[in-house]
Amino acid sequence: MSSTLWQRACAVMPGGVSSPVRAFRAVGGAPPIVRSAAGAELTDADGKRYVDLVGSWGPLILGHAHPAVIEAVTRAAREGLSFGATCEREIELAERVRARFPFADMVRFVSSGTEAVMSAVRLARGATGRARIVKFEGCYHGHSDSLLVRAGSGLATFGTADSAGVPEELARLTDVLPLDDEAAAERLFAERGREIAAVVIEPLPANAGLLVQRQAFLERLRALTRAAGALLVFDEVISGFRVAPGGMTQLTGITPDLVTLGKILGGGMPAAAYAGPAALMKQLAPDGPVYQAGTLSGNPVAMAAGIATLDVLAEPDAYPRLEALGAELERVLARELARAGAPGTIVRVGSILWLSLQAGAAPRAWGAVERAGAERYALLHRALLAEGIWLAPSAFEVAFLSLAHDEQHIERVRLAFGRALRASAR
Ligand SMILES: *Cc1c(COP(=O)(O)O)cnc(C)c1O
């Protein structure tokens, strides 16, 4: 059933998917076609069940089909799917964002993280009158042209297009720096700090493994941008509401100029946002000259899912519970690695975990990530999938826990992981 569906998918959609990583190219094999999901589990078209450690790549911090979210979405849907006018639920969600990110007086809703970061970059360019932006190797900010750029060769920081179809003229306006390297950032700012509109960073980079940054590095970026009159954009599409209610902005105590949010914000529906101080946000149309719009932006059903999700997360035991689950999964996976004598570390922040299969200290920059781990990961991934454990189909993607996971799920993962490690060692 699943395999015939996959053939049909490949006939009508490039690679059989609507987003490339879903095609399992990095691990091999045909991806199961998902029929439904509930709590911490996915069910495929053959009726096989999996413990889900992907959580739709981050949004599902409450698990699948959480009753409060389904109830809120159902009620909203009955009241109309889209208005093309401001609705009360947008105001309510914007107020909840502001309560968690107090520096951000105002919120503009969009439909995807890509749009949020793309628009934040436009706002930064409009507000500063400068063209250049800076990103970091190993950070992902969606697929807009200016951010689909990777490090150029040699010592040059000028980026080069990371996709066909991105003009090199545009890619050259993006400088790409290594993470965890104050000196490189200082050199760039000394050379052309006055041309830089914004530095965009995932304050907890979670798209190329989990590359935990030093507080001092993030503080240096804050100081350099402020001194040069450039904006600092925290892309908290993953970390926002995940590692703390106010994301890394709260945990680091560093105030960016703009924050981008997505994933959890929509509770599994398409919603994202960028937010910041009123003086900056009022540069947006219709108040100001920076244009940005969206037919389905602030969609009432998506807003309802976001409100319900944030309200469940506001219960006092939510984050302690996510931390406890994360700590437990980290502990048992690390023990299985040690037992099998396999090199590797479990890198974890709260409910985000990365299985790093390299020896030594956890890397903080993409340049320190060993690509060789990917082959071992592919073997593990296949063995775990057969055992009913759904891990991200790439060695450099993280795992997410949700409030729907419990000790029994963790025990299932532990047993399967131990067996998969032994099988892949043979
Ligand atoms: C997922 C992600 C995006 C892009 O969001 P989409 O909704 O997939 O467009 C941007 N930034 C970060 C940090 C992300 O993890």
Side-chain angles (χ1 to χ4, degrees):
M1 177 73 169
S2 202
S3 62
T4 5
L5 283 172
W6 179 241
Q7 281 166 11
R8 280 171 59 198
C10 291
V12 289
M13 301 187 290
V17 295
S18 299
S19 195
V21 71
R22 299 178 191 174
F24 278 32
R25 293 288 164 86
V27 290
I33 304 292
V34 177
R35 178 194 290 156
S36 64
E41 294 186 19
L42 291 168
T43 303
D44 75 12
D46 298 317
K48 180 174 168 131
R49 287 165 67 175
Y50 305 84
V51 177
D52 181 15
L53 294 175
V54 178
S56 190
W57 303 89
L60 297 175
I61 195 165
L62 308 185
H64 295 276
H66 187 284
V69 178
I70 298 302
E71 155 81 28
V73 162
T74 309
R75 186 173 331 138
R78 279 204 209 94
E79 292 169 7
L81 292 180
S82 177
F83 309 136
T86 295
C87 67
E88 195 171 338
R89 287 186 175 90
E90 281 171 278
I91 306 167
E92 286 183 5
L93 187 55
E95 287 170 349
R96 280 167 177 73
V97 169
R98 193 173 65 173
R100 289 158 181 77
F101 291 85
F103 85 95
D105 307 318
M106 295 186 143
V107 180
R108 171 60 64 87
F109 289 110
V110 291
S111 299
S112 70
T114 294
E115 262 185 286
V117 188
M118 175 186 82
S119 308
V121 164
R122 183 178 305 140
L123 176 55
R125 284 172 164 158
T128 58
R130 303 173 181 182
R132 305 198 63 81
I133 60 167
V134 179
K135 76 176 287 281
F136 293 87
E137 225 181 338
C139 286
Y140 177 69
H141 303 290
H143 61 87
S144 69
D145 286 348
S146 288
L147 292 157
L148 214 51
V149 169
R150 63 185 154 80
S153 57
L155 288 176
T157 60
F158 294 108
T160 173
D162 203 12
S163 163
V166 175
E168 287 298 341
E169 290 84 345
L170 192 62
R172 274 198 297 275
L173 290 176
T174 303
D175 288 298
V176 183
L177 290 177
L179 286 163
D180 189 44
D181 187 344
E182 284 92 335
E186 282 158 9
R187 277 195 301 275
L188 177 70
F189 270 86
E191 195 179 318
R192 45 176 178 267
R194 298 274 151 200
E195 298 166 46
I196 295 168
V199 170
V200 184
I201 188 168
E202 290 178 82
L204 177 62
N207 279 288
L210 187 62
L211 306 174
V212 180
Q213 297 304 291
R214 289 172 296 109
Q215 173 84 13
F217 175 67
L218 296 172
E219 279 173 4
R220 193 75 196 113
L221 296 180
R222 177 66 284 185
L224 286 169
T225 45
R226 190 167 278 142
L231 303 191
L232 180 63
V233 180
F234 271 3
D235 182 355
E236 295 228 50
V237 169
I238 285 185
S239 54
F241 317 114
R242 168 65 68 178
V243 297
M248 290 299 288
T249 303
Q250 174 186 333
L251 290 188
T252 61
I254 298 170
T255 305
D257 296 290
L258 290 169
V259 64
T260 55
L261 300 164
K263 300 199 166 112
I264 291 171
L265 180 70
M269 297 286 295
Y274 54 114
L280 198 50
M281 296 301 285
K282 280 175 181 281
Q283 300 282 313
L284 286 174
D287 282 346
V290 180
Y291 190 73
Q292 185 271 313
T295 301
L296 295 177
S297 294
N299 177 267
V301 186
M303 297 294 107
I307 292 166
T309 299
L310 294 190
D311 286 355
V312 173
L313 285 175
E315 290 167 10
D317 55 346
Y319 289 93
R321 172 86 186 135
L322 288 164
E323 171 62 28
L325 283 168
E328 178 62 8
L329 185 57
E330 175 188 354
R331 191 179 67 79
V332 301
L333 293 183
R335 201 177 58 197
E336 292 300 327
L337 276 175
R339 241 185 221 167
T345 324
I346 310 299
V347 185
R348 179 183 72 88
V349 177
S351 53
I352 312 176
L353 292 96
W354 177 45
L355 171 61
S356 164
L357 290 175
Q358 67 191 62
R364 295 186 188 278
W366 180 235
V369 175
E370 286 171 19
R371 312 300 192 268
E375 275 169 42
R376 281 176 58 219
Y377 184 87
L379 288 174
L380 276 177
H381 181 271
R382 228 165 299 157
L384 284 165
L385 196 72
E387 293 252 14
I389 308 296
W390 190 283
L391 272 185
S394 158
F396 308 115
E397 300 283 355
V398 294
F400 293 104
L401 285 169
S402 74
L403 288 173
H405 288 89
D406 62 22
E407 284 67 17
Q408 282 166 8
H409 295 115
I410 290 180
E411 181 59 8
R412 273 161 70 186
V413 174
R414 182 187 74 77
L415 287 170
F417 186 61
R419 281 193 293 264
L421 276 175
R422 287 188 289 278
S424 69
R426 281 196 293 274

